[in-house]
Amino acid sequence: MSGSLCGTDGRSERGDAPAREGSRASCCEPKRGVASFELGIGAVVDDEGGYTSVAVALALLVSLSLVCSLVSVAWVQNRSADVQSVADSVALAGANVVAAYSTVATTLDACVLTLGLAGMVTLGAGLVVSAVPGLSAVGAETISAGVKMLDARRDFAMSAARGLEAVEKTLPLAIAARSAAVVEANEGEGSSYIGCAIPFPQESQSDFSALEADVTGDEIAEVADHLQDASDRAKDAQDRLDEALHEGWLADCGGEPMNMRERADSLAGLLVTENPHYPSPESWTFGVPLLRSRSYYARRAAIEAPAGQGIRYLTDSECRLAFYEYALSEMETGYYLELPDGSVDIDLPSLPKNTGEMQGTCLYTDARWPCTQEGGRVTLHSTLRCPGAQGASAGEASLSQLDAGAVARCPTCQMSSADMGKVAAASTSIDNGYEYYWARVVAASLDYEVAADDLAAAEAEMRDYADEGASAFEEALETLASPRLKICPPGAWGCVAVVGRGEGDLPDSLENGFAAPLAVSTGAAISAATLAPDFDAAGNDVLTRFLEALGDDIGWGCAGVLGGIGELWVGLLRGYGSSADGLSDAASEALSGLSGTLLGPVASWLNDKLSEIVRAVGFEPADLRLRKPVLTNSQNVFDRAGFGQVANARELIERLPDAGDPASIARALGQVVVNELGGGPYAIAELPIPGTDITVPLTIDVGALLGAGSS
């Protein structure tokens, strides 16, 4: 009976030996602690060793508790780390404002310089053209255009300097406003931030004096006036010179049907080598008819003979011989010289064409006529072959002695001054005589010599003014190329972002009964950004973008909108910043383009000189690559500003207010902020487009720049 309490076979559940009679209580009541252990295991593990429903429920509860706790912790950690990401974005936003300003300032500086250089190149071209005889009016117009361009450059530069200065004063406020907008944009459920970016340097250190430098073309214009006057006189002299040369050539060998060459061939039968032909006056000089006449009169003297029988023919022949010998001697003493200064020295003798003119020559005064004693008096004959020359020789006498009565006139040959004076009368007066054309050559040579002297004097004066103009050009160009605009706006060294995070609770979606509630504690972060060149795209430079935008505004894709001066300016803009010599090369190339025209000696010298000056002056190269903001170690920015990083960063963080608009936050951080631009669109300057009447206002949207609540 007792075994039934413990088991059917009288053994315990543990399989021990049958219990003793007196041990019932120990068999039927488990020991303290053992029964509870066995019951706990049984709750989670069944008889077959598997997990019970209670075990599964407990496992799910533990898992959910762990997951919820981990999610809450992860959310808190992420929100705690997000403040650094926000600070990075805020620093980049501040630097982006500086990048935009740098683009504007670089563009304006490029426009000022290239406008000035375009004006100088235009003035240089005006000087060169002014030195071309006949183009003084074009030169004056070109000079006027250059002066107007320099005046426009001066007005534009002064307005740009004022505009940039106002923008730089407002830049800290713009940086605070744009960066604070990024702070606000990052606020979300359970996250609150405050802060902004502070620029370094905190105040402008730009030097705008280069924009205020005045470059005028007044001195060049004054020199150009004198140059144009001398050029006009040179043109007049050149016209007279060409006319005289052409007239001389026509008389000598160019006229048809008769001329000196044709007459020399017909009357003297000169060889071709002694009687050359020149098809145009360009290769002909006044030395040609002089040499021709020497050969002609030598030949005429050699072949002279009476044209018939009788004393009258004999006297006429002797008079002609005397004339030919006289003309030959005169031709031998004549000369044609081209002097180094461009003038000429010409002495082509005039031959007497009547008795009066003959009496002014040695034909009248030289004692060359034979005399004899006839009837007790000395009698003058045309030749000793005169039938009236019967007496003894009495030497020789002149026609002037005959007219003075010192000797008697032969009644047979009747030689007289009139006989000698009429030798060249006919041949000089009608166009079938050689002396007719010679007289035309002599008259043309006189005009030519005067014109050549006038031209040489005018060109000498032009050279003096050209040299003076080149000096004035060089002086003005050096002023233009003087130290350039030095841009160092607030934020040029970098922008430091200071961002604080407020306390935050878990969002409702993360609250649960499986984990204790967590909260994000307050915190702060600091970051810095600066500007670096953007190498991402070819042609990604400031002026490429500017020219594209400007072309869209004024539509210069249409042919003929800009004209030569405008195209010059665009070419200079494209050459600007391309290399150290890009701008000089563009300007020099513009001047060299004039070489294709007929400049003349003075203009050619001046053109080469001005091109040399442009190349020699050189212009400071510009870095026109677009800038983009990049993160940097705040230590770099603080070092540049002369601050210690740890102390300064801690001080900035401690200054952060709990709330406020961008301006008040910036002021709390020690930044002076002002608005010099107003509230609407602000025109920094109005850009005059060379070669047109177009002006393009360069404006910024102050509202978009500063945003709302940035007073």
Side-chain angles (χ1 to χ4, degrees):
M1 292 293 293
S2 61
S4 62
L5 295 172
C6 294
T8 60
D9 58 355
R11 294 178 181 274
S12 67
E13 290 181 358
R14 295 174 59 88
D16 296 334
R20 295 188 297 268
E21 187 71 24
S23 61
R24 179 180 178 183
S26 61
C27 250
C28 298
E29 297 178 33
K31 295 180 180 179
R32 188 176 299 276
V34 174
S36 63
F37 172 76
E38 290 178 347
L39 289 173
I41 292 299
V44 296
V45 180
D46 61 16
D47 293 341
E48 297 177 357
Y51 293 109
T52 66
S53 298
V54 173
V56 173
L58 288 174
L60 289 174
L61 288 173
V62 171
S63 298
L64 287 173
S65 178
L66 288 174
V67 169
C68 291
S69 297
L70 289 174
V71 169
S72 299
V73 170
W75 184 88
V76 170
Q77 288 179 337
N78 287 337
R79 291 301 177 268
S80 299
D82 280 351
V83 68
Q84 186 61 55
S85 298
V86 173
D88 291 344
S89 299
V90 169
L92 291 171
N96 199 47
V97 175
V98 182
Y101 168 77
S102 298
T103 299
V104 172
T106 302
T107 300
L108 293 183
D109 177 46
C111 290
V112 169
L113 178 62
T114 52
L115 278 174
L117 188 55
M120 289 302 303
V121 172
T122 303
L123 284 174
L127 278 174
V128 172
V129 175
S130 295
V132 179
L135 295 182
S136 61
V138 178
E141 183 178 352
T142 307
I143 289 290
S144 177
V147 170
K148 289 179 180 178
M149 190 174 297
L150 287 184
D151 291 342
R153 175 257 175 207
R154 179 196 60 219
D155 296 340
F156 175 70
M158 294 180 67
S159 66
R162 291 191 298 268
L164 290 177
E165 187 174 2
V167 172
E168 288 202 3
K169 288 181 180 179
T170 311
L171 210 55
L173 178 59
I175 292 171
R178 298 298 289 272
S179 60
V182 173
V183 172
E184 183 179 354
N186 278 276
E187 292 186 348
E189 184 179 358
S191 302
S192 63
Y193 301 101
I194 188 167
C196 66
I198 302 299
F200 290 93
Q202 293 181 290
E203 295 182 353
S204 171
Q205 296 187 18
S206 298
D207 181 7
F208 297 108
S209 60
L211 293 180
E212 296 170 353
D214 191 14
V215 181
T216 70
D218 294 343
E219 184 176 355
I220 296 176
E222 182 178 354
V223 173
D225 286 341
H226 296 299
L227 190 57
Q228 291 155 16
D229 179 66
S231 174
D232 287 339
R233 285 186 275 113
K235 169 61 176 173
D236 176 70
Q238 184 66 58
D239 290 344
R240 290 186 283 117
L241 188 81
D242 293 341
E243 184 180 353
L245 184 71
H246 188 261
E247 169 61 19
W249 170 76
L250 286 176
D252 179 56
C253 62
E256 295 295 342
M258 290 187 289
N259 50 57
M260 277 180 55
R261 177 181 175 277
E262 184 275 331
R263 291 289 81 197
D265 178 62
S266 177
L267 299 175
L270 291 182
L271 299 175
V272 174
T273 55
E274 298 175 314
N275 197 28
H277 173 67
Y278 290 83
S280 70
E282 283 73 20
S283 58
W284 181 89
T285 70
F286 282 94
V288 173
L290 181 62
L291 294 176
R292 194 190 312 277
S293 294
R294 289 174 182 173
S295 299
Y296 172 77
Y297 285 113
R299 178 65 177 166
R300 289 303 299 267
I303 63 173
E304 176 54 42
Q309 299 295 324
I311 188 58
R312 187 70 264 165
Y313 291 105
L314 189 59
T315 297
D316 290 343
S317 177
E318 289 297 328
C319 288
R320 288 194 298 272
L321 179 61
F323 179 82
Y324 295 150
E325 290 177 348
Y326 164 78
L328 178 60
S329 67
E330 289 293 298
M331 299 301 167
E332 293 292 346
T333 60
Y335 54 83
Y336 169 80
L337 300 174
E338 296 180 353
L339 303 180
D341 64 353
S343 63
V344 295
D345 190 4
I346 306 177
D347 183 12
L348 300 186
S350 295
L351 299 179
K353 61 179 178 294
N354 53 48
T355 301
E357 292 180 2
M358 183 276 300
Q359 289 175 338
T361 69
C362 61
L363 286 173
Y364 187 64
T365 57
D366 283 355
R368 63 160 292 155
W369 303 103
C371 297
T372 59
Q373 290 287 343
E374 303 294 341
R377 292 195 65 186
V378 177
T379 302
L380 183 145
H381 308 278
S382 61
T383 175
L384 290 178
R385 289 176 291 171
C386 173
Q390 299 297 322
S393 175
E396 295 176 337
S398 66
L399 293 177
S400 62
Q401 290 175 305
L402 176 64
D403 290 343
V407 295
R409 180 183 182 189
C410 173
T412 303
C413 66
Q414 297 182 349
M415 178 63 190
S416 67
S417 297
D419 292 324
M420 189 69 249
K422 69 180 182 180
V423 171
S427 62
T428 304
S429 302
I430 55 178
D431 61 4
N432 66 348
Y434 185 88
E435 286 73 23
Y436 172 83
Y437 297 101
W438 174 255
R440 286 177 55 186
V441 168
V442 171
S445 73
L446 295 175
D447 293 340
Y448 185 87
E449 185 173 21
V450 172
D453 290 345
D454 291 346
L455 178 60
E459 288 184 342
E461 191 173 347
M462 287 169 62
R463 281 190 291 271
D464 291 340
Y465 285 124
D467 186 65
E468 187 177 341
S471 298
F473 181 86
E474 182 174 16
E475 182 179 350
L477 197 62
E478 287 176 348
T479 302
L480 186 67
S482 60
R484 301 275 301 289
L485 174 64
K486 303 300 181 184
I487 302 174
C488 186
W493 304 336
C495 289
V496 175
V498 183
V499 179
R501 181 191 62 238
E503 291 184 351
D505 297 327
L506 286 174
D508 295 340
S509 60
L510 295 181
E511 291 183 357
N512 58 82
F514 298 100
L518 297 177
V520 180
S521 62
T522 60
I526 193 166
S527 182
T530 189
L531 300 182
D534 185 357
F535 298 100
D536 290 344
N540 190 22
D541 63 75
V542 172
L543 291 183
T544 298
R545 301 287 185 88
F546 172 69
L547 286 172
E548 290 173 355
L550 198 60
D552 293 340
D553 285 344
I554 67 175
W556 63 24
C558 301
V561 171
L562 285 182
I565 296 178
E567 291 175 0
L568 166 64
W569 176 63
V570 172
L572 292 173
L573 273 176
R574 297 188 190 281
Y576 181 96
S578 61
S579 66
D581 299 323
L583 200 57
S584 298
D585 290 345
S588 179
E589 182 180 351
L591 285 172
S592 299
L594 295 172
S595 300
T597 59
L598 299 177
L599 296 181
V602 178
S604 295
W605 174 89
L606 181 57
N607 186 61
D608 293 342
K609 181 67 175 178
L610 297 185
S611 298
E612 179 184 337
I613 289 172
V614 172
R615 288 192 296 268
V617 167
F619 292 89
E620 181 181 343
D623 186 356
L624 296 177
R625 294 171 296 181
L626 287 173
R627 303 286 170 166
K628 62 180 181 180
V630 294
L631 293 175
T632 185
N633 194 317
S634 56
Q635 180 71 53
N636 299 330
V637 179
F638 286 135
D639 286 347
R640 185 68 184 274
F643 298 131
Q645 182 187 20
V646 176
N648 197 65
R650 182 177 301 159
E651 180 183 355
L652 289 175
I653 292 172
E654 291 174 350
R655 287 182 176 181
L656 269 177
D658 295 332
D661 59 46
S664 62
I665 297 172
R667 293 188 184 102
L669 294 174
Q671 177 67 57
V672 177
V673 291
V674 296
N675 182 1
E676 296 283 338
L677 305 181
Y682 178 79
I684 300 177
E686 288 195 353
L687 175 64
I689 305 301
T692 73
D693 295 327
I694 301 172
T695 58
V696 178
L698 304 179
T699 62
I700 58 175
D701 187 344
V702 180
L705 178 65
L706 301 182
S710 56
S711 58

